[in-house]
Every structure is written in structure tokens, then in C-alpha cells.
Amino acid sequence: MVSTPSARTRVLELRRVLEHHNRRYYVDARPEIPDAEYDRLYRELQELEDNHPELSDPASPTRRVGGGRLEGFVTVPHASQMLSLDNAYSKEELREFLDRVMRSLERSDVEFVVEPKIDGVAVSLQYEEGRLVRGLTRGDGRTGDDITANLRRLPTVPLNLSARQTLEIRGEVFMNNRAFEALNRERKKSDEPPFVNPRNAAAGSLKLLDSDEVAARKLAFMAHSIGRMQGRPFATYTEALALFESSGFLAPPGRGRTSGLDAIFGEIERIYAEKHALAFDVDGAVIKADRLSDRQRLGETAKSPRWAIAYKYAAERAETTLKKIEFGVGRTGTITPTAIFDPPVQLSRTTVSRATLHNFDEIKRLDVRIGDRVLVEKAGEIIPQVVAVLKDKRRGRLKSIRSLKTCPVCRGSAARLEGEVALRCANLSCPAQVARRIEYYASKGGVDIEGLGEKIVAILIERKFVKSISDLYRLPRHREKLLGIEGFAEKRVDNLLAAIERTKRAPLERFLSALGIQHIGEEAARDIAAQFGSFDGIRRASVDEYLAIDGIGPRMAAGMVQFFRRNKRLLNEIQKLGVRPAAPKRVEAPDNPFKGKHLVITGALPTLSRTEAEESVRKLGGSPSGSVSKKTDILVVGEDPGSKVDKARSLGVAMMDGVTFETRIREAMP
Ligand code: IVH
């Protein structure tokens, strides 16, 4: 069939238009058309291609059929190692890098490309004679997981190059901020844990086993490196980028090509100033020698090339005024000062109106006063901090902040305990302490009383229904009175009472950790529950009996005995009211990769907290532990891992990255 010229023209036009909108959406943060309009254009192209098969082109954005479901990923060696980059944090360190390069090349006019560093997930794409044959994750740099089926579903991964080269292209897969926020909104709605940042979201999405799900995640790929290549298709990175872009790849936007310290530094600053307008997170600039012959002469170290460096931008900072300091009282009486800002400031995607000042030593160290102009910083996902007080902007006489003598809530005496920085309210019946203890008891990490959050606890305390944990179990007697409180409809009250009733048979270890005994975390609570098997057994145990348990030290043992001695009345009451925590049960876990395995986690996982992850492993019949030893079967390596990795390597322990770990957990969970 001969296609009409108009069909051919329209097809070409649509492909161009869709590529343009890809760039607008994924890179520039300025989509010009609504999603529905994009989908309409996409469908129009698909229909034209269906009706005119001779016009279809393997490189068309429509050629991305489902890869189906995978059983798991296969680990494959990289053609050449995927290296990382060295970092520079100052102009001085940049100068040292440039000096080294110029000395080695014995030339001062070395040209560099300076471009944004994309905060994404490194992947490698292998093209043979112009066709995409394989896509791998970075993995440990030497081997990566084969995620070809998933990468094929990204509209910005061209399935064909504009020329028939055999070449490996490397770059970052990322999720832009808009897609990230939409994904997290969806996850919250369906009660799934949100991703901490777009990078984690991208990493997690790439490891999904269903490529249809991957396609829905709106991931993008940006090309920034050349891996193994056949022949010498280009002499410079700039030429390679031209090929990338003519094949439909996204390439780092706002690149500059220049030489000399000052000019390069100027580019770094320009990229910093422009990065806010981009649709994705940029955490630095990459400075790389343009000529491939220069790169070859400079070579690489075991970890990184000598021809490139990453200039990391400092954490984001903003200036605002300290309006007041609020004091919070914690479960154990700790009084914590919090700075309140006016106006709130915008820092890495969130509005920050408060930040913890930790304790009075910190207030003294900063010498911060009400009315001061302050600098607030938030590095990545880390909580906001007051990092400096701008003393030269201080106007008039501001009073310095003195430590408190009394608790801001109950007015009881407040003091610092020997050897502690924290100021504590000594009154165990301080309403704030009581509230925190009850909130802690009722929280998800505690016995989990649905519907009993901060607000309800505050009301119950204020109306004097509750003064201690045991009072929760007396609430049924006050049902009628509770119904009289505004907002306490019948259904709500009955649901709450039913939720409280259920906790009478809470698992023993949960009940124990919910009591909030000092030094007794979830792990210790579990070990103790497993050892004694009943609440009565625990109540009767002596310091020596506690010390006999693996992992229980003298502080914990003393803490337990002291708590049970001091709280005899409360515990008797709770028992009399029918609370009988359930003894730990041993259930046989179904077959899965963690069953019977000793596992250690290091670094941060994409979505799960350490406790959640360990609990899942335990449910699957594995035993998590805190340190690597000869017994360890698997080390799970999250982000910013610690020295455990070296230890595991020296012992030959198998490693699994955090994303794979979470995927395997989700698959294995009954
Ligand atoms: S060039 C040998 N350019 O950052 C590696 N890398 O922290 C050459 N990255 O491993 C990499 N944006 O995965 C290059 N514009 C960019 C980049 C970039 C992000 C990643 C890359 C690298 C990591 C180092």
C-alpha cells in the first residue's frame, strides 16, 4: 500500500511533537498540554501507524509493547565497569582537579563540558547495530540486573539509534517531581508507604517485575555517558550528545562547554541558579573532559575516571526570622525546644515553618534569640536545622533565651539529670508526659489502637477520662458520657472501644514495647517475650534472669526490674481489667528467599524503616541481626551503607541491594 503524502507528513509531525512534549514534561517542568491531549496525539500516531504499516518505524514512540511479567532479574556482567565520580565541594578542590588534568595532559587549554548532575539511578543501555538489546542496572559496578523489559517501556529510551552503531549508552533513570508527588499521593491513598525521594521512587519502580506497572510510573532516561563502543564513531562527548539527541534521547539540559577554572566555575554557578526551573532534582554539576582522546590518556582509578568530577552543591539554605520557641514534653519528660519561623521557607520541595533546636546547649551554642534572622538548612531528606544566626542583622536589644526552671506544661520542676544534655520534667503525672505515653502505647509501633491519635488522647486527658494507660480499659464505663462530647458520634465511640478491647490480647512483645520502658526497644521486647512467654513471668523476673538473655545488657535489665517495681499498681490494675497479652506464637513461614537465613541490613532502605524490614524478615522465617558475622547469610545494602559492607566482603557474605530486597519481601509476603 502506498501511503498518502498527508499520512506520512502527519506521522512525522506527530513523532516530532511527541518528542517535544516529552522534553517539556520530563525535563523543563513546563508541560504545554494536559496529559489527556498527549494521550490523544499518541493514539492518533498509533492509529496511523496501524493503518499504514509501511510508515511504522521501530524508533517510533509507540513501539513499546508490554514485556509481560518477569519471574525475577538475571544478573549480568557489565561490558566495562560502571564507575562512579569523585566529588569536589569547593572551588579549591575543583582547582586541584583541573591542575591534575592539565599536568597529566601537559596542556592548559583542555575543554570541558559542564552539565547538571541528575539525582537518579544509573543504568546502561546496550545497542547492537543501532538496536536496543539490553538494559542493566549499575548493580555493584561489575555486574548489574537485566531490566531490559522495564527500560523498553520508558518513552525516552529510544529502541533504535539514528545510525546502526554498536555502542553502550549510560545515563540516569529519574522520576520528575510532578510524577513523584502524584505517585506518593496514590500510594498514601492505598495505604502503601510513600517513597522518600524521587530517586528512591525511580529505583523501586525499575525493579518491579511487571513492566506494565513500570510503564505507568512515568520514568525518564537521560543519557550522559558512553560505555563500550565499536570503532570510533565520535571524537568528542559533544559529538556523542548530538547523536544521542538525534536519536531521541534526553541529554542533560543547559550544558556549557568551556575551559579554565573561572569559566568552569561560572558554568557551575549558572547551572545552580537555573536548576530550580527543571522538572527533576539536580544535586550538583558534572565537569567532564570533552575530547575522548584526552579521556583515554587520563584513564581512571579503581573507582572513578580521572577525566571527570562531580561538583556537589551545598544543602539548600534559606533565611527567615525566629518568631518564637515552643517547648514540647516527651514521653520520658524530655523538654525539647522547637523554633517557629515567620515566614515559613521553601526548602527542597517542602515548606518549613519549624525546626527542632534539640536542647538548651544548642540554643546557647547558636546564641539564638527571638526576632533573630536565621539560616535554615535542609540537606536532602534530612530534617531542617537552624545552622546559623545572622548576628549582624540583629536590630535592637534581643533577650537571650534562658533555660527553663519549670515544665512549660505542668509547671512542676524541670532539671537536667546528671550526665544528660536534656532538660526533664520530673513530674510523672505531667499531662504532657501522660499524653505522650498513651499516644506511644496506642501507636502503630505499640499495641496499635486504631482511632486513638494525638487529638483524641488530648480530649480524653483534658476531660479527665484518662490519667494512665489503665484508664483506657475503663472507658467502656463512660460510654454515655463520651457520647456527649462534640464530634464523638456513636459509631466512632464504639469503634474506639472495640479497638481498645482488642488490645487486651495484644502480642506480648508489642505490649511490652508499648509500655515505653527506658532502653527497651522492639528487639529487646521480642527477646524478653520469647524468653518468658507470659506477662506474669516477665513481672517476676530478676535482673540476673534478664541478663541471661542474649542481647540484654545491665542497663536494660535494671530498667526492666525498676519499671516493674515502680509501676506495680498500674500493672495490677491493667491485669485486673482483663489485659492478657498473648504469648509469642511460632508459625511456619512459607518457602521464600529469607527463610532460615541470617540477615543484616545496612544503610537506608527505599521505603521501609529498619524495624518494618526486620519484622517482615522475621515473619518470613528469617533472623535479622545487627552485626555481620560468619553466621550472616545475606547483607542488605541500602543507601549510605556503613562499614558492614567491608566486613561482609571480607567474609564473603552475599549482598542484596535495598531495592531488590524490598521487591523480594513484597513478593514473598503472604
Ligand atoms: S558522567 C564514570 N554525568 O552520578 C561515570 N554522571 O555520583 C561518568 N550522574 O555514576 C558519569 N548525572 O550515575 C555523569 N550528568 C552526569 C550525571 C552523572 C548523574 C551519576 C552517574 C555517576 C554518579 C556519580
Side-chain angles (χ1 to χ4, degrees), residues 148-183:
T148 316
N150 287 349
L151 289 170
R152 289 179 70 90
R153 305 302 297 277
L154 274 51
T156 50
V157 168
L159 302 178
N160 290 274
L161 301 179
S162 57
R164 292 168 58 97
Q165 270 117 351
T166 293
L167 143 95
E168 183 193 352
I169 294 175
R170 293 173 177 176
E172 304 291 303
V173 169
F174 64 96
M175 188 178 283
N176 77 12
N177 294 331
R178 183 189 279 250
F180 167 71
E181 272 148 30
L183 173 64

Side-chain angles (χ1 to χ4, degrees), residues 83-85 115-118 122 138 172 224-225 252 286 288 305:
L83 298 170
S84 187
L85 288 172
E115 64 189 26
K117 181 170 187 307
I118 306 118
R138 178 213 298 272
E172 304 291 303
H224 60 53
S225 306
V286 182
K288 36 176 103 165

Side-chain angles (χ1 to χ4, degrees), residues 81-87 114-123 138 170-172 222-226 237 251-252 283-288 295 300 303-305 307-310 312:
Q81 197 187 348
M82 277 183 87
L83 298 170
S84 187
L85 288 172
D86 273 344
N87 293 326
V114 186
E115 64 189 26
K117 181 170 187 307
I118 306 118
D119 195 7
V121 182
V123 304
R138 178 213 298 272
R170 293 173 177 176
E172 304 291 303
M222 190 166 279
H224 60 53
S225 306
I226 316 142
Y237 175 55
D283 59 346
V286 182
I287 300 96
K288 36 176 103 165
R295 292 186 179 189
E300 53 209 33
K303 268 177 55 197
S304 46
W307 45 262
I309 198 158
K312 288 293 201 76

